[in-house]
Amino acid sequence: MKLKIKKELLLDGLSKVSKAISTKNLVPVLAGIKFELEDKGLTLTASDNDITIQVFLEKNDDMVIESTGSIIIQGKYILDIVRKLPDEYINIEVVDELKIIIYTENSEFNLNGISKNEYPNINLEKSKNPILISSKVFASIINQTSFASSNDESRPILTGINFKIMGNLLECNSTDSYRLARKVIPLNDVVEENYNIVIPSKNLLEFIKIMDDSEENISLHVFSNKILIQYQNLLFQSRLISGTYPNTANLLPDEFLLSIKTRINDLYNVIDRASILTSDKEKNIVTFEIDGNKLFVKSSSAEIGRVEEKMFIEKNNEENLKISFVAKYMMDALKSFEDDEVEISFVGEIKPIILKSSKDEGLVQLVLPIRTY
């Protein structure tokens, strides 16, 4: 195998696939990146058994292929070498089957490679009827829901995002039992088969980090235990979480005691300031007191002190209310909206708080209140 390639092109591919390399992996070969050089171009593959990422770099003017072949190169070292070499073009040559020489005009690195035969057989198959969705919309869905999933591995099903596809509707839900993020969007095409799957949130967050700002579609290929996402010259495969996702539809109330409207940034900043006086950032409890057209935001700590802020709001009736919640959960929910205004609806002091915006009717955030007595 012998290749001359533009540094920028190779670095882009390596940076993408390296997100699938795990430093904790018990299988040493999975710390490597598989290079497969054919006449049509270079394929880079990395996997940690949880996710697999493959990038195909098509042969063009930035690539000279002298001889084809396949080798596994330690991911950490090849990425560092390519990143730090100052030259525009980099040469990679395999000699004696497992010796790799990476060289430019003034630099030369010799690395020990691993035989391609030691790499696990990874099947990146595609389905006959993939689901097409805009890459921008997909990234938005993940950003607006993933934060509400759980980090607690004792309930693995809640560490993922639940994707339900029925006809031309995609519904995504994420919950950690204390809050719920829901996003519903129409798809351009009717999907013949219904799907109800759970994809690990952390894997989806890794995928959207790889994406650029292009408006291209991505295609989702769903199987019984995995999903393959195709985007440009990249394939991203993730395992699915097995189990039944809880039915979250019955958590959303139909009738409300009171609804208020306010500017998202103003409310976010008020809650942020109110939560300063707390010793535990994860469980900082803030109280809303709605009295007339005023919202009082309060927080107190026996050891530190107390804070109270006031802001004016719009209300839909004359009801008043007092309710407490975890500030972080409310701030995360507010951050998910791409609107200036939010409507917050209350059922009662110990019933779920619902957040919606007029700009994005498909997005609903739910935060459970906290009893303070």
Side-chain angles (χ1 to χ4, degrees):
M1 170 179 151
K2 192 173 180 183
L3 166 74
K4 182 179 181 181
I5 186 169
K6 196 169 188 178
K7 170 189 166 171
E8 200 179 287
L9 179 65
L10 180 59
L11 184 59
D12 181 61
L14 289 173
S15 299
K16 287 173 178 172
V17 299
S18 66
K19 293 192 183 300
I21 295 173
S22 169
T23 51
K24 300 173 185 171
N25 212 298
L26 299 175
V27 185
V29 73
L30 292 182
I33 294 174
K34 188 177 183 184
F35 281 63
E36 292 174 280
L37 187 62
E38 301 170 295
D39 292 329
K40 60 185 179 181
L42 174 66
T43 302
L44 303 170
T45 308
S47 178
D48 65 357
N49 281 333
D50 195 37
I51 61 172
T52 300
I53 303 174
Q54 187 173 90
V55 170
F56 176 65
L57 306 176
E58 191 174 0
K59 185 181 178 184
N60 58 21
D61 295 340
D62 295 330
M63 187 187 301
V64 178
I65 298 169
E66 291 195 30
S67 61
T68 59
S70 187
I71 191 82
I72 293 141
I73 308 177
Q74 290 291 328
K76 178 183 182 299
Y77 299 115
I78 183 68
L79 190 59
D80 277 353
I81 290 167
V82 172
R83 187 183 285 129
K84 292 179 180 179
L85 280 170
D87 306 76
E88 189 181 3
Y89 282 88
I90 292 171
N91 298 278
I92 300 174
E93 187 176 348
V94 177
V95 292
D96 299 335
E97 291 189 358
L98 294 178
K99 298 288 181 190
I100 303 147
I101 307 170
I102 300 157
Y103 61 95
T104 62
E105 195 175 340
N106 300 311
S107 307
E108 183 178 304
F109 291 83
N110 287 266
L111 293 179
N112 295 321
I114 303 169
S115 167
K116 65 174 183 180
N117 300 327
E118 291 188 38
Y119 207 74
N121 184 25
I122 295 165
N123 184 13
L124 297 173
E125 62 183 313
K126 297 174 189 174
S127 62
K128 289 177 183 171
N129 300 305
I131 300 144
L132 298 179
I133 183 171
S134 149
S135 56
K136 205 169 183 179
V137 170
F138 189 77
S140 181
I141 290 169
I142 307 310
N143 285 323
Q144 290 175 325
T145 57
S146 59
F147 65 86
S149 58
S150 176
N151 296 317
D152 183 1
E153 292 294 341
S154 65
R155 291 190 68 189
I157 197 80
L158 297 187
T159 62
I161 300 175
N162 177 215
F163 281 69
K164 284 184 187 172
I165 301 171
M166 294 153 287
N168 71 330
L169 271 189
L170 166 61
E171 179 189 304
C172 293
N173 290 291
S174 181
T175 182
D176 60 3
S177 298
Y178 303 104
R179 52 187 168 167
L180 166 70
R182 166 172 294 178
K183 180 73 184 256
V184 180
I185 63 149
L187 298 169
N188 290 333
D189 302 307
V190 174
V191 179
E192 291 176 12
E193 197 177 334
N194 289 349
Y195 294 100
N196 189 349
I197 59 172
V198 185
I199 310 170
S201 291
K202 64 181 177 65
N203 295 359
L204 290 169
L205 286 167
E206 286 297 341
F207 173 71
I208 64 171
K209 281 181 198 167
I210 297 171
M211 292 166 57
D212 55 32
D213 295 328
S214 70
E215 296 280 348
E216 290 181 47
N217 276 347
I218 63 170
S219 54
L220 308 177
H221 303 260
V222 183
F223 299 92
S224 60
N225 62 346
K226 65 182 182 181
I227 182 167
L228 179 75
I229 307 173
Q230 185 174 8
Y231 172 68
Q232 295 176 348
N233 63 337
L234 180 136
L235 297 175
F236 183 101
Q237 185 165 279
S238 166
R239 69 179 173 89
L240 299 179
I241 302 174
S242 58
T244 305
Y245 203 79
N247 179 17
T248 55
N250 53 12
L251 294 174
L252 296 169
D254 296 321
E255 296 180 356
F256 300 101
L257 173 74
L258 167 70
S259 293
I260 66 169
K261 274 189 182 176
T262 185
R263 290 181 66 79
I264 289 175
N265 279 351
D266 295 347
L267 182 60
Y268 182 92
N269 292 333
V270 166
I271 298 171
D272 194 20
R273 289 194 295 272
S275 63
I276 290 171
L277 301 189
T278 177
S279 50
D280 185 355
K281 283 288 178 199
E282 289 300 308
K283 293 282 177 275
N284 45 0
I285 294 170
V286 165
T287 299
F288 276 2
E289 273 190 43
I290 299 163
D291 187 0
N293 67 339
K294 297 187 192 78
L295 168 64
F296 296 92
V297 182
K298 302 177 180 181
S299 175
S300 63
S301 162
E303 307 86 42
I304 305 165
R306 62 189 298 275
V307 59
E308 179 178 313
E309 293 237 10
K310 175 181 72 178
M311 60 187 296
F312 291 93
I313 52 167
E314 286 180 43
K315 282 169 67 175
N316 70 334
N317 60 38
E318 296 304 311
E319 291 283 350
N320 292 324
L321 183 79
K322 182 178 177 181
I323 194 165
S324 301
F325 51 85
V326 175
K328 181 184 184 301
Y329 295 167
M330 184 63 78
M331 289 162 71
D332 284 346
L334 289 169
K335 264 196 302 194
S336 72
F337 292 99
E338 295 166 354
D339 202 352
D340 298 327
E341 261 196 346
V342 65
E343 181 178 81
I344 307 177
S345 301
F346 307 92
V347 185
E349 290 185 5
I350 53 168
K351 298 284 177 139
I353 305 164
I354 303 296
L355 293 85
K356 292 182 179 179
S357 86
S358 55
K359 194 174 180 181
D360 187 352
E361 291 179 5
L363 180 63
V364 179
Q365 299 290 351
L366 178 152
V367 177
L368 287 181
I370 302 281
R371 277 185 196 267
T372 55
Y373 52 88

